[in-house]
Amino acid sequence: MPRHTRTANRKPRLHSHSEWNIQAGYSVEVPRSPMSLDTLTPLLKGTVDLLILQSLRQGPQHGYEVSRWVREGTDEVLAVEDAALYQALHRLEDRGWIESEWGLSENNRRAKYYQLTAVGRRELRNEVSQWKRYAEAVFKAIQTA
Amino acid sequence: MKRHGVKRLFKFPFRTPEIVRDEVHEEFDFHLDMRTDELIRSGLTKTDARAQALKEFGNLESGTTACVTHDDRLERRRWIAQTAGEFRQDTVLGIRLIARNPWYAAAAILTLAIAIGGNTAIFSVANALLFKPLPVTASHELALVRAGESQMSWLNYQDLAERNRVFAAMVAHRRVVAGLATGAAPVRLWGEQTTANYFSVLGIPAALGGTYMPSDNRHDVVVLAHHVWQARFGADPSVVGRVLMLNGRSYEVVGVMPRGFRGVAPAGLLHDFWIPIDDAARNPLLGDRGATRFEIFGRLMAGVSHAQAVPALRAAGQQMRADHPDVPETFVQMEVIPLDGIGAFRGMADLILPILGFLTLMTVVAALVLLIGCANIGGLLIGRAAARRKEIAVRLALGAGRGRLVRQLLTESFVLAMLGGGAGVLLAIWLTSSVNPFLSRLPVPMEFDLGIDRRVLGYALAVSTLATFVFGLAPARRAARFDLISSLKDEASGSAVRQRLRRGLVVGQVGVCTVLLIWSGLFLRSLSHIGSIDPGFSPDGVVLARIELDETTHGRASGEALFLDLEQQVKASPAVQSAAIATVVPLSLENEEFDVIREGEANGGASPPRQRVFSNRLTPGWFETLRIPLLAGRDFRPDDREGSPEVTIVNDTLARRFWSGDAVGKRLRVPGSRGDEILQVVGVVRDSKYWTLGEKTAPTIYRPFRQAYASWMTLHIRTRDPRGTADLIAHEMQRLAPDVFIDISPMAETISVAVLPARIGAVVTAAFGVVAMLLSALGIYGLVAFSVAQRTREIGLRKAIGAGTSDLVRLIVGENIILALTGFAAGMVLGVLGANLLRTFIAGVSPADPITLGATAMLVSGATLAATALPAMRAAVVNPLVVLRDS
């Protein structure tokens, strides 16, 4: 029976089976490798978007920072391919939830910085509360099973 | 931080697809470099780190493509948003500018309203005639079926309907004229007799009550049209169930159709009522395979096109011929004609072609008037642009691109054009609202659906937009092109280019105005000329009494007896000088025509000459009644009747064409579906007009009514006492056939209907001509005033030197006269050339008619003189001191 463990440190840990993994949408399989564009289900796409928005809540970040945050923030469980992540970033910008601007990175290189728009901020709040409800409901159902 | 969607303060150039792609590459490269560096820092070698970073990234290609797609879309949306925003800005600016200069705007809007309104009104008529679909369900699926002639017999129709596989249903119908019995004299109604599936095939339910259907088996029901219900029954809702007497038979009203329903009649015509076709027992004609009485149409099966149906029908026609040898061979050349649009007018080519030609002419004329209007407004705008030099200079200095400036000015023009177009649509509605009340005065029920629909509005919008570019583009581009230096210098008389443009506009306006005035003049002349054309017979003092019998109530024997009886009674009256029957009234839009072949003589092997002729069927005395002289031979006699040798009288044109004048005794062959007839010529009469007053006389043959019976006829009566004769006729009809409707009218009325098209043509073109003249005069006045205003300093100088008012006026007018003369000359040439194409409308008048040209010259010179002299005179009162002090 899978145990629910939580590792305190945030060292990247790939390919771990013994942890409680978020069930990805309709499949029961735990993804064994970083998910590519093609294997992202709609549910997972939404989840990635949510994480990107959450990452930008702290302030403007460039794509690399966002990708690092997503990786570390989910304890390596949600390892999405960077290509998929950038596609998500551009899609969010197309939708108007984030906007971009070229700036200088910490090592003086030109980098594209993203930040939330007012619409994006509002959507983030909605998505987070929806997610919480969903996760709690599923968790509750699983517990009683 | 900035909100998304806030207007950026600085103008970012929009990212081209190349820039977009480069940026995505740069972003990805940055990411890969950062990850590589991080991995290097955690211990990997450079190459390993790079490889790992690439592997983690995933599919570089598809990632790039996806991101580029999103970014391109984003850029496009930004571009659209900005352009829309700019357009909105410009529109607001334009409106504000108009509010600040109401007079100049009002002049422009009024000009546009008149010009666009005229164009739109003409298009409404064309729309009603050609483009509006039939007011029935899925009108594009309907088609007329014709086998050679326009009508078919009942048996052939039934066979065809059964055998074919391409029509879901076929309907037979025919025109019926009936007398409706009211308390007073019977009223004439024009309706249709149809198969029971008529309404279900057309798919339109009744507005009140119901329609008759195939499942009913009654033959004594009638469905009324909406306008009849309103006019004759006062829109009484209890009309359903009432019993009416039509042509002596009783019919129960079962329903009223909705407003505007006209079956499959072409645009403009109406039906008053619908009754079902009798059963065969009641009407023996239905059993006669040769009695072609019905027009046929059908609804095609789903997925079958009109072209696809033709071979199937032709095959069915061939089968029918195989089974029944008396099916005519034209059944192998069946036609399937769409009912929408121009197809509905098939078989009415003689009527519709002149109308279409006239519509085209009117469209050209309206377009020319619009051109003059646009020239006016263009001139106006150029004048205003000069006054706005400073404003434009400031805008350019602030950084507006020239393209943006042109767009701004063009948008101002667009606002003007939209306002003018809107007013024009209202004007068009008003103009077209007078058409139907006018039509209701005609003897035949006619009504055009001239309601403004999407197509008309779209046309008005397109014309307004086009006008925007025609009058606005050139001034806008010129205004944006000048340089700042010359705007600061106070230029006295304007640049050479501007002078050329002004001169060109004057020449152009005078030219177009001349063309339109020439055409209007020619129409007016032809109208007065038509009044003096000799029709070849004498209509004055002649009264017409017209009867159309229902063949089911009066067969040949009783019909002939009725007609001849009436004729005899009328001739017996002392006030009547002479009377006779004819099936066609000249100049009344009725006609009979067919081919005849010269018969008998040897022709050296070549086929004998064949000629399309007009025809009429008469009783003895008709020529005398209408005072058409006999040139050779004799008139018909009472013993030219059924059974006697078949005879004919021809007119002079045919006699000369076939026999060089000596026609008496010669013979003609008339091909027919029931066999050829051979007729012997017994007389020759002088030519007279048959179809229109303007026609070139056509060959005509006449036949004795008793040898060629028809169930309709008009009694022509030359009488000294029209009133008394009319009473006598009414009295006799009461005695002989009380349920038959008879229509009595003086012949002069028919002539006036024949002149109607010429009168309408003259009125409409003259209206356009007058508008054109006013607009041109206004335009020239504006242009001259503007140029004079530019030259105030020069004029002041001249006055100071000692020039008198008359000298100055002569100077200014003299310069412009040459331009006007050039325009007039060009306009004359073009006008006469164009008039050559209008010969059919201006019958009897030469395109280079000197009176018209002279009158036009006077009008144009008068208008131009006034338009140039007025501003010149105003300029002449300029105080030289004031002007010189200014500079």
Side-chain angles (χ1 to χ4, degrees):
Chain A
M1 190 155 151
R3 287 175 295 128
H4 172 64
T5 57
R6 253 199 156 281
T7 49
N9 59 18
R10 296 168 90 234
K11 263 208 302 263
R13 304 224 288 146
L14 295 162
H15 316 308
S16 171
H17 300 285
S18 60
E19 314 202 339
W20 183 56
N21 296 294
I22 298 170
Q23 308 270 335
Y26 309 103
S27 71
V28 188
E29 271 292 309
V30 174
R32 292 171 173 274
S33 52
M35 284 162 277
S36 68
L37 284 164
D38 321 307
T39 59
L40 279 180
T41 62
L43 179 66
L44 216 45
K45 264 200 188 133
T47 313
V48 171
D49 289 353
L50 174 64
L51 292 173
I52 293 175
L53 292 175
Q54 183 69 11
S55 133
L56 292 177
R57 199 148 156 250
Q58 325 155 24
Q61 297 193 320
H62 57 65
Y64 185 68
E65 289 174 323
V66 172
S67 118
R68 206 171 45 198
W69 189 95
V70 166
R71 225 177 321 124
E72 293 172 359
T74 61
D75 293 343
E76 293 295 334
V77 170
L78 223 50
V80 182
E81 273 186 355
D82 296 315
L85 189 80
Y86 275 96
Q87 191 191 358
L89 275 167
H90 283 245
R91 189 176 60 235
L92 284 170
E93 186 179 11
D94 198 8
R95 215 183 289 167
W97 292 6
I98 62 181
E99 57 185 2
S100 68
E101 210 174 9
W102 283 93
L104 280 183
S105 72
E106 51 273 2
N107 50 0
N108 268 328
R109 278 190 60 171
R110 222 168 89 94
K112 198 170 191 188
Y113 280 84
Y114 293 92
Q115 63 183 357
L116 286 173
T117 62
V119 176
R121 218 172 280 278
R122 194 180 57 222
E123 289 299 325
L124 174 59
R125 273 200 303 274
N126 291 344
E127 297 273 308
V128 165
S129 63
Q130 261 182 12
W131 231 113
K132 281 195 182 136
R133 267 204 318 248
Y134 165 76
E136 282 166 10
V138 172
F139 185 48
K140 179 161 164 252
I142 292 174
Q143 294 269 327
T144 52
Chain B
M1 288 294 277
K2 288 197 292 261
R3 274 184 22 240
H4 184 90
V6 161
K7 251 190 316 203
R8 305 193 171 204
L9 288 174
F10 304 109
K11 235 186 236 328
F12 286 81
F14 286 107
R15 301 188 286 169
T16 63
E18 292 78 42
I19 296 180
V20 164
R21 187 167 277 273
D22 286 343
E23 286 195 354
V24 171
H25 284 149
E26 189 175 349
E27 189 179 11
F28 285 6
D29 285 341
F30 174 80
H31 176 102
L32 288 170
D33 290 344
M34 293 287 278
R35 182 63 179 150
T36 309
D37 289 345
E38 187 176 334
L39 288 173
I40 291 176
R41 276 200 299 273
S42 71
L44 281 84
T45 65
K46 224 196 293 191
T47 27
D48 286 345
R50 188 76 185 167
Q52 168 86 346
L54 277 169
K55 192 166 87 146
E56 284 176 4
F57 198 91
N59 192 335
L60 209 56
E61 288 280 322
S62 54
T64 313
T65 316
C67 291
V68 164
T69 312
H70 279 302
D71 280 2
D72 278 338
R73 212 181 319 159
L74 184 66
E75 279 312 300
R76 214 177 323 137
R77 266 213 312 260
R78 282 204 194 129
W79 182 87
I80 292 173
Q82 174 163 51
T83 313
E86 284 177 356
F87 184 67
R88 211 178 17 188
Q89 257 183 319
D90 294 343
T91 311
V92 169
L93 218 67
I95 295 177
R96 239 188 286 157
L97 225 68
I98 288 176
R100 264 191 284 151
N101 298 281
W103 288 117
Y104 122 81
I109 293 176
L110 188 63
T111 310
L112 282 168
I114 294 176
I116 296 180
N119 268 284
T120 308
I122 304 236
F123 183 76
S124 293
V125 176
N127 187 33
L129 265 180
L130 301 173
F131 304 128
K132 276 203 173 136
L134 268 179
V136 298
T137 308
S139 56
H140 54 275
E141 292 172 2
L142 296 174
L144 265 181
V145 175
R146 290 155 61 115
E149 0 172 66
S150 57
Q151 294 179 329
M152 213 183 274
S153 71
W154 177 251
L155 290 175
N156 285 342
Y157 151 71
Q158 283 194 313
D159 269 343
L160 194 60
E162 267 173 39
R163 286 175 200 250
N164 90 90
R165 294 276 167 273
V166 285
F167 278 98
M170 290 179 83
V171 178
H173 62 135
R174 72 185 190 105
R175 193 171 72 83
V176 162
V177 180
L180 170 70
T182 62
V187 166
R188 179 203 288 226
L189 292 181
W190 303 66
E192 282 199 307
Q193 204 175 28
T194 76
T195 45
N197 59 356
Y198 184 81
F199 295 101
S200 56
V201 168
L202 292 180
I204 303 290
L208 191 66
T211 63
Y212 48 81
M213 290 194 298
S215 49
D216 305 339
N217 226 345
R218 297 177 61 182
H219 294 278
D220 59 344
V221 291
V222 62
V223 177
L224 296 176
H226 197 269
H227 62 276
V228 167
W229 177 57
Q230 292 210 304
R232 298 247 157 255
F233 298 94
D236 177 9
S238 69
V239 72
V240 177
R242 270 228 271 210
V243 174
L244 306 177
M245 297 289 279
L246 289 169
N247 280 353
R249 286 170 59 180
S250 56
Y251 293 86
E252 180 187 333
V253 178
V254 290
V256 177
M257 293 309 285
R259 170 166 223 113
F261 177 78
R262 59 176 200 257
V264 295
L269 298 177
L270 288 177
H271 292 302
D272 291 332
F273 65 86
W274 292 271
I275 51 178
I277 291 177
D278 295 320
D279 54 53
R282 192 88 189 246
N283 189 351
L285 274 176
L286 295 182
D288 181 0
R289 203 173 271 274
T292 58
R293 290 283 185 278
F294 299 96
E295 290 184 1
I296 315 290
F297 70 89
R299 186 177 286 283
L300 290 165
M301 289 192 184
V304 179
S305 75
H306 293 89
Q308 287 170 334
V310 173
L313 280 186
R314 290 192 179 173
Q318 262 176 336
Q319 276 180 1
M320 282 167 64
R321 287 207 79 212
D323 293 343
H324 301 278
D326 54 345
V327 168
E329 62 177 272
T330 49
F331 265 68
V332 201
Q333 289 133 19
M334 246 184 272
E335 302 177 282
V336 175
I337 304 163
L339 271 173
D340 270 333
I342 197 86
F345 292 102
R346 278 297 275 269
M348 294 167 74
D350 284 331
L351 204 57
I352 197 64
L353 280 176
I355 296 180
L356 284 182
F358 187 67
L359 268 179
T360 313
L361 172 68
M362 286 295 104
T363 310
V364 170
V365 167
L368 287 176
V369 171
L370 183 61
L371 210 61
I372 295 182
C374 286
N376 277 11
I377 300 175
L380 213 66
L381 284 179
I382 293 180
R384 284 208 42 80
R388 290 168 70 185
R389 266 193 311 229
K390 295 219 177 52
E391 174 202 340
I392 293 177
V394 168
R395 286 211 214 156
L396 282 176
L398 276 183
R402 290 198 195 274
R404 177 98 174 81
L405 195 61
V406 170
R407 248 191 300 152
Q408 236 161 24
L409 295 171
L410 212 54
T411 312
E412 287 169 22
S413 303
F414 187 67
V415 172
L416 274 177
M418 283 297 119
L419 289 172
V425 168
L426 293 175
L427 181 67
I429 295 178
W430 180 73
L431 284 172
T432 51
S433 69
S434 59
V435 172
N436 281 328
F438 170 76
L439 284 177
S440 65
R441 287 196 267 136
L442 292 176
V444 185
M446 285 185 76
E447 188 181 80
F448 278 103
D449 177 14
L450 288 170
I452 304 284
D453 67 358
R454 263 192 347 240
R455 241 167 274 121
V456 175
L457 284 177
Y459 182 81
L461 187 66
V463 171
S464 306
T465 311
L466 190 64
T468 308
F469 283 96
V470 170
F471 74 73
L473 190 59
R477 291 179 61 195
R478 280 193 32 75
R481 207 185 309 158
F482 77 89
D483 56 297
L484 298 170
I485 311 296
S486 69
S487 79
L488 298 175
K489 287 199 296 196
D490 209 20
E491 275 197 59
S493 53
S495 61
V497 178
R498 194 166 29 229
Q499 284 287 58
R500 258 207 308 256
L501 196 62
R502 189 186 70 82
R503 283 196 212 116
L505 280 176
V506 171
V507 172
Q509 287 194 309
V510 173
V512 174
C513 180
T514 307
V515 169
L516 290 178
L517 282 177
I518 288 180
W519 289 353
S520 323
L522 287 174
F523 266 88
L524 284 168
R525 286 272 297 154
S526 92
L527 182 64
S528 77
H529 179 83
I530 272 183
S532 65
I533 291 182
D534 176 19
F537 57 87
S538 168
D540 300 313
V542 175
V543 172
L544 302 175
R546 185 184 161 78
I547 297 178
E548 243 187 87
L549 289 177
D550 181 357
E551 284 167 325
T552 54
T553 43
H554 292 270
R556 174 168 183 157
S558 62
E560 197 171 314
L562 169 65
F563 293 150
L564 294 175
D565 223 334
L566 184 67
E567 184 191 31
Q568 196 179 21
Q569 294 298 326
V570 168
K571 278 164 96 160
S573 156
V576 169
Q577 294 161 296
S578 63
I581 286 173
T583 50
V584 172
V585 177
L587 301 180
S588 67
L589 295 184
E590 302 171 330
N591 76 337
E592 293 170 11
E593 58 181 280
F594 43 79
D595 288 348
V596 298
I597 303 172
R598 189 179 73 186
E599 172 75 359
E601 285 134 51
N603 217 13
S607 60
R610 191 184 179 105
Q611 174 70 47
R612 172 57 61 112
V613 298
F614 283 133
S615 136
N616 207 345
R617 300 178 252 177
L618 324 167
T619 55
W622 189 77
F623 296 112
E624 184 193 324
T625 309
L626 288 190
R627 307 234 166 109
I628 300 175
L630 202 59
L631 296 177
R634 64 167 179 83
D635 191 1
F636 296 130
R637 290 190 300 244
D639 58 359
D640 291 319
R641 52 190 336 174
E642 202 171 10
S644 341
E646 309 241 320
V647 295
T648 179
I649 297 175
V650 301
N651 73 347
D652 201 18
T653 303
L654 183 63
R656 273 189 277 119
R657 204 172 287 191
F658 268 11
W659 301 286
S660 314
D662 185 17
V664 180
K666 305 290 197 298
R667 286 177 307 156
L668 281 177
R669 171 187 291 275
V670 180
S673 56
R674 295 205 229 199
D676 294 357
E677 292 167 281
I678 308 285
L679 308 175
Q680 175 133 29
V681 179
V682 296
V684 179
V685 292
R686 196 181 65 177
D687 290 338
S688 58
K689 301 289 182 189
Y690 184 96
W691 174 251
T692 65
L693 277 170
E695 71 185 13
K696 210 161 66 95
T697 310
T700 312
I701 74 169
Y702 303 91
R703 303 178 54 191
F705 186 78
R706 297 190 72 173
Q707 285 182 348
Y709 169 79
S711 64
W712 63 90
M713 67 92 205
T714 304
L715 191 55
H716 293 62
I717 310 152
R718 181 170 292 280
T719 167
R720 284 179 278 261
D721 175 17
R723 254 291 48 175
T725 308
D727 289 339
L728 167 67
I729 294 175
H731 181 82
E732 285 303 314
M733 284 304 292
Q734 265 303 102
R735 183 179 66 85
L736 291 168
D739 298 309
V740 174
F741 174 76
I742 185 157
D743 193 4
I744 304 178
S745 60
M747 195 169 191
E749 232 174 62
T750 335
I751 311 291
S752 69
V753 170
V755 178
L756 208 55
R759 218 185 292 158
I760 295 177
V763 165
V764 177
T765 38
F768 274 109
V770 167
V771 171
M773 196 171 72
L774 285 174
L775 284 181
S776 302
L778 271 172
I780 295 173
Y781 175 88
L783 287 170
V784 174
F786 171 63
S787 94
V788 160
Q790 295 288 93
R791 296 163 70 184
T792 32
R793 213 170 50 160
E794 174 196 343
I795 293 175
L797 266 169
R798 286 182 191 257
K799 279 199 84 168
I801 296 176
T805 312
S806 57
D807 295 325
L808 287 168
V809 171
R810 226 177 312 142
L811 170 73
I812 292 171
V813 170
E815 289 170 351
N816 286 297
I817 280 291
I818 308 208
L819 296 174
L821 277 174
T822 319
F824 178 72
M828 258 221 319
V829 171
L830 287 172
V832 172
L833 281 179
N836 262 303
L837 300 171
L838 300 177
R839 276 182 194 276
T840 42
F841 301 113
I842 50 173
V845 180
S846 147
D849 178 47
I851 298 185
T852 310
L853 294 181
T856 306
M858 279 199 334
L859 279 172
V860 169
S861 51
T864 316
L865 219 65
T868 47
L870 274 169
M873 288 198 288
R874 288 182 57 206
V877 304
V878 159
N879 191 338
L881 290 173
V882 173
V883 169
L884 289 175
R885 221 187 298 145
D886 249 346
S887 56

